[in-house]
Amino acid sequence: MKTTIQPSNDQMKKWIEQYVPAKDLFFVKEEHVSLFEEEILQALFIPEEEFFNHASYKQIQLANSYEYCNLSKEVEFVILAHANWITKIAPAKKEILLQIQVQMNRGLIFPRSYFPIGSLPLNEKGVINSEGESVVLYADLWEKTSFSAKAQLLKKYAQQWDDWGSEEVPVYLPRIIKKYANTFPIEAGSNCLSATLFAISQQEWMIHEWIHPQTFIKKLRMTHHLIKSEELIEGDVAVWETDEGQIQHASFHVGNKLFFNKNGQTFFNPWKIIGFDKLQAEWSQYSLKLYRQK
């Protein structure tokens, strides 16, 4: 039977606390530097290559919030600033900086329609672009936005990352898997590979890890072997790979063609129960391999 997942109030509070980082990042090209020479004296100005190789800025929540994967290839520098830095910039320069963020395709940018009427400070101007009026979020603005407006925005936005529809949790699931099935994380990092290894091992700490493909396949092969059969039994693991053998997704079969599954590593991606046909449709461009417990 179909059901719809909803984040709990506690989960929403955690999302709101973590989603907009406490320090601001602004992505620019070298030609923009001269526009902010005086302002940059109160911030850090980091070359793009150094920024993306710096351990501090590789944190998963920074990468998810600012959507590093979608940034323009034209980014050459990153301004790292304290939360109140942008509030001290002249309004005209602030508007230019926020417009640049739209051009650089930075994360934390939303249509103004995502915000309830009257929920933004009166002096907060939207950025006009090809898609209409957008709001570029930064730490100080997020702090001044009401809880209800933040919750409404995140609920709307989260559903762009993942479908909140799922199958009901089977009654026969082990208690430890039931605890997480059809729920949302409160922190970023957990992905499909950690969810699968958790379901196999039922070691709770493992579900919160951000596991990469080589670690996953080595661990999987300790307990499971590749099979040729297309007949699913409880405990099987489905793995979708590219033609070159790169793992794109994995999921754990809990029985009756239902899988314990997670898409992506954001806290907007729930751990949920999903049917095999739907999984196959989502990952049909890749080759399916089945692994069975030894």
Side-chain angles (χ1 to χ4, degrees):
M1 187 178 294
K2 304 291 183 182
T3 187
T4 301
I5 313 169
Q6 292 285 342
S8 68
N9 287 336
D10 286 342
Q11 287 166 339
M12 181 57 69
K13 287 177 184 177
K14 291 291 186 181
W15 288 4
I16 288 171
E17 287 172 7
Q18 299 175 67
Y19 183 57
V20 178
K23 294 178 182 177
D24 290 321
L25 300 179
F26 301 101
F27 300 86
V28 298
K29 296 193 286 187
E30 186 166 12
E31 66 189 56
H32 300 137
V33 176
S34 61
L35 299 172
F36 307 102
E37 282 185 343
E38 291 184 11
E39 291 78 11
I40 287 172
L41 292 175
Q42 306 303 319
L44 287 178
F45 189 55
I46 310 171
E48 172 266 341
E49 183 177 358
E50 188 169 282
F51 177 86
F52 288 110
N53 286 323
H54 197 301
S56 294
Y57 311 128
K58 287 183 177 180
Q59 296 172 36
I60 185 66
Q61 190 54 57
L62 281 177
N64 285 347
S65 293
Y66 286 104
E67 298 180 32
Y68 291 172
C69 59
N70 294 325
L71 281 168
S72 167
K73 294 189 181 345
E74 295 183 321
V75 170
E76 295 176 292
F77 292 94
V78 183
I79 298 171
L80 172 66
H82 189 272
N84 66 3
W85 177 80
I86 194 171
T87 66
K88 299 177 181 179
I89 294 179
K93 284 194 174 183
K94 175 182 172 182
E95 189 173 344
I96 291 170
L97 180 61
L98 297 183
Q99 184 69 62
I100 292 169
Q101 301 317 292
V102 176
Q103 295 168 8
M104 296 296 99
N105 206 34
R106 195 199 84 168
L108 301 178
I109 300 176
F110 299 95
R112 183 174 280 274
S113 60
Y114 277 33
F115 296 84
I117 294 173
S119 64
L120 292 169
L122 293 176
N123 64 347
E124 186 57 39
K125 292 183 178 179
V127 174
I128 305 298
N129 56 60
S130 59
E131 297 179 357
E133 189 175 20
S134 297
V135 174
V136 180
L137 284 178
Y138 47 88
D140 184 75
L141 176 57
W142 191 242
E143 180 67 25
K144 292 174 180 173
T145 302
S146 71
F147 180 89
S148 61
K150 292 173 182 175
Q152 177 175 309
L153 181 147
L154 289 185
K155 278 189 176 182
K156 194 164 188 176
Y157 180 61
Q159 292 176 72
Q160 296 180 20
W161 283 84
D162 212 324
D163 177 12
W164 287 11
S166 71
E167 301 289 340
E168 286 194 345
V169 178
V171 294
Y172 57 79
L173 280 190
R175 182 180 299 177
I176 189 66
I177 297 180
K178 276 186 181 178
K179 177 180 177 179
Y180 290 95
N182 291 353
T183 69
F184 287 91
I186 59 172
E187 294 182 347
S190 172
N191 61 358
C192 66
L193 305 183
S194 62
T196 301
L197 292 184
F198 154 75
I200 293 170
S201 66
Q202 297 185 32
Q203 295 186 57
E204 189 167 8
W205 65 271
M206 203 173 290
I207 198 171
H208 303 292
E209 295 299 303
W210 184 17
I211 293 177
H212 289 215
Q214 288 189 31
T215 302
F216 170 77
I217 199 66
K218 286 181 181 295
K219 180 71 172 173
L220 179 64
R221 286 172 177 165
M222 292 178 183
T223 55
H224 287 63
H225 64 98
L226 186 65
I227 61 171
K228 293 183 179 179
S229 171
E230 295 181 0
E231 197 77 23
L232 287 166
I233 66 170
E234 185 177 335
D236 284 352
V237 171
V239 177
W240 286 265
E241 297 181 353
T242 65
D243 292 340
E244 294 74 33
Q246 295 177 325
I247 295 173
Q248 299 299 303
H249 191 68
S251 197
F252 180 82
H253 182 226
V254 297
N256 298 317
K257 290 195 172 182
L258 296 175
F259 281 74
F260 179 74
N261 186 71
K262 189 176 191 295
N263 294 331
Q265 73 278 359
T266 77
F267 46 50
F268 298 140
N269 299 113
W271 297 292
K272 67 180 181 180
I273 304 300
I274 185 172
F276 182 60
D277 290 343
K278 187 169 184 180
L279 263 180
Q280 271 284 60
E282 289 179 359
W283 300 96
S284 59
Q285 67 269 45
Y286 303 109
S287 299
L288 170 64
K289 292 185 177 179
L290 292 178
Y291 288 80
R292 183 159 294 164
Q293 193 166 1
K294 294 178 180 178

